[in-house]
DNA sequence: TTACTTGCAAATCGTTTGCGATATA
DNA sequence: TATATCGCAAACGATTTGCAAGTAA
C-alpha cells in the first residue's frame, strides 16, 4: 500500500503540470525535489503507475512516450512545430466504439483521438524566427519527424 | 523519377498486405523477393516514401512505428492481445478538426483515431490457449505494454 | 529478518548514419 | 563519369534490466 518517497515525488511532479512530459522530463523535474533519484526509478515507477491506472501513458506521434497525471479519458492535441501536447476539452465520442465494433468484428474496448496542429505560440513565431518554438516547455523536435 | 529495384520491392510488399507491418516485418517480407536487401535500406525507403506521401507512417501505441501502403486518410484499430493493426472503414469525422480548433486556439491540421479491442481470432482463442495470439501475422506482443 | 525498492551501470531494442562499394543515368 | 542508392556495421537515443546496497515493516 505504502508508496515510496520516490514514487510520491514522481506522482506529485506529474500532477503539478498540465503538459505531458516524457520520462526524462519527469526525471529532471523530480531531481529538483530529490537530486539523487535515478532515471531507472522514474521509468519503473511511471510504468507501475500506468499499469495500475494512476496515471496515463500516452503514445503520441514521435519517439518518446509521454505521461499524463490525469487518468480520466480525454483527447490530446499536439503541436507539430514545438512538440508540446495539451489536453483538449471535447466531449468523448461515446457512440464511436459501438460503431467501430459493428464495422470490424473486433470487441472494441476504447479509442483515442489525437489532433495535430500549430499551437498559438508557434503560430505567432512563424516567419518571424528562423528557429520556431525554441525553448518552449515540453518541446521535442525529434517528435516532428 | 525512377525508383530503385529495392524501393519497388518495398512498396509492393507494403501494398500486398492489409496489415500494417513494422519496418522489420517489411524487411522480412522484402527478403523473400530480394534476399540481400538490408534493413537500413528498408528504413531509408520507408522514410522517404512516407515523406513523399506514397505510404503512411503510423504511430499506434507501442514502441515500433508501422507503415501503411494506403495513403488515404482512415482510422485504425489495434488488437490489444496480438498487436495486429487493421484499417477500419468509418466515415471520417470531418467536423472534428473545426471543433477542436474552437476548443483550443490551435490551428488544427488533422486528427487520428485509434481503436483498441480484441480481434476475432484472439477472442476465439481466449481461455482456450495459454499463449493467446501466438504466431499471428504482424503480431508484436511488446506493443501491448 | 523478509520483502520491496532503489541507484547505478550495462544491456537491449528500434532506428539512424557514415562510408566505401555498387548500380543507374 | 557523375549521381543516387546500396549493404554493412557502427552509432545513437529511449527504455529495460541485473545486481548489490538501502529501506521499511
Amino acid at each position: 500500500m505504502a508508496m515510496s518517497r520516490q514514487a510520491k515525488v514522481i506522482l506529485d511532479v506529474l500532477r503539478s503540470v498540465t503538459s505531458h512530459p516524457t520520462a526524462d522530463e519527469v526525471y529532471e523535474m523530480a531531481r529538483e525535489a530529490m537530486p539523487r533519484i535515478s532515471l531507472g526509478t522514474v521509468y519503473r515507477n511511471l510504468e507501475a503507475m500506468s499499469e495500475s491506472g494512476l496515471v496515463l501513458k500516452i503514445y503520441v506521434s514521435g519517439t518518446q512516450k509521454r505521461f499524463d497525471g490525469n487518468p480520466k479519458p480525454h483527447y490530446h492535441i499536439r503541436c507539430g512545430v514545438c512538440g508540446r501536447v495539451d489536453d483538449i476539452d471535447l466531449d468523448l465520442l461515446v457512440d464511436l466504439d459501438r460503431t467501430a465494433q459493428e464495422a470490424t468484428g473486433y470487441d472494441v474496448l476504447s479509442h483515442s483521438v489525437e489532433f495535430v496542429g500549430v499551437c498559438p505560440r508557434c503560430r505567432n513565431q512563424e516567419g518571424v524566427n528562423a528557429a520556431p518554438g525554441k525553448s518552449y516547455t515540453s518541446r521535442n523536435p525529434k517528435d516532428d519527424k
Side-chain angles (χ1 to χ4, degrees), chain A residues 9 13 16-17 19 21 24-33:
Chain A
V9 167
V13 156
S16 73
V17 295
S19 66
D24 57 52
E25 286 166 346
V26 171
Y27 171 60
E28 288 305 333
M29 296 187 275
R31 275 217 293 181
E32 285 166 26

Side-chain angles (χ1 to χ4, degrees), chain A residues 55-117:
Chain A
V55 309
L56 237 50
K57 176 160 48 170
I58 62 183
Y59 302 87
V60 293
S61 315
T63 37
Q64 295 181 102
K65 293 168 189 160
R66 290 177 178 273
F67 295 86
D68 188 337
N70 169 19
K72 200 159 54 89
H74 58 278
Y75 303 143
H76 294 114
I77 182 161
R78 176 173 61 90
C79 175
V81 178
C82 69
R84 67 175 293 127
V85 176
D86 284 306
D87 288 339
I88 170 166
D89 185 23
L90 274 191
D91 294 334
L92 296 180
L93 302 166
V94 287
D95 317 338
L96 213 52
D97 287 353
R98 187 162 13 89
T99 312
Q101 178 135 354
E102 284 156 16
T104 59
Y106 274 60
D107 283 339
V108 177
L109 302 170
S110 66
H111 68 268
S112 59
V113 178
E114 181 198 341
F115 295 89
V116 179

Side-chain angles (χ1 to χ4, degrees), chain A residues 18-53:
Chain A
T18 61
S19 66
H20 300 69
T22 61
D24 57 52
E25 286 166 346
V26 171
Y27 171 60
E28 288 305 333
M29 296 187 275
R31 275 217 293 181
E32 285 166 26
M34 185 180 276
R36 296 186 46 81
I37 197 172
S38 80
L39 182 57
T41 296
V42 171
Y43 271 104
R44 264 188 292 239
N45 277 286
L46 288 173
E47 178 62 30
M49 289 175 195
S50 75
E51 221 146 278
S52 76

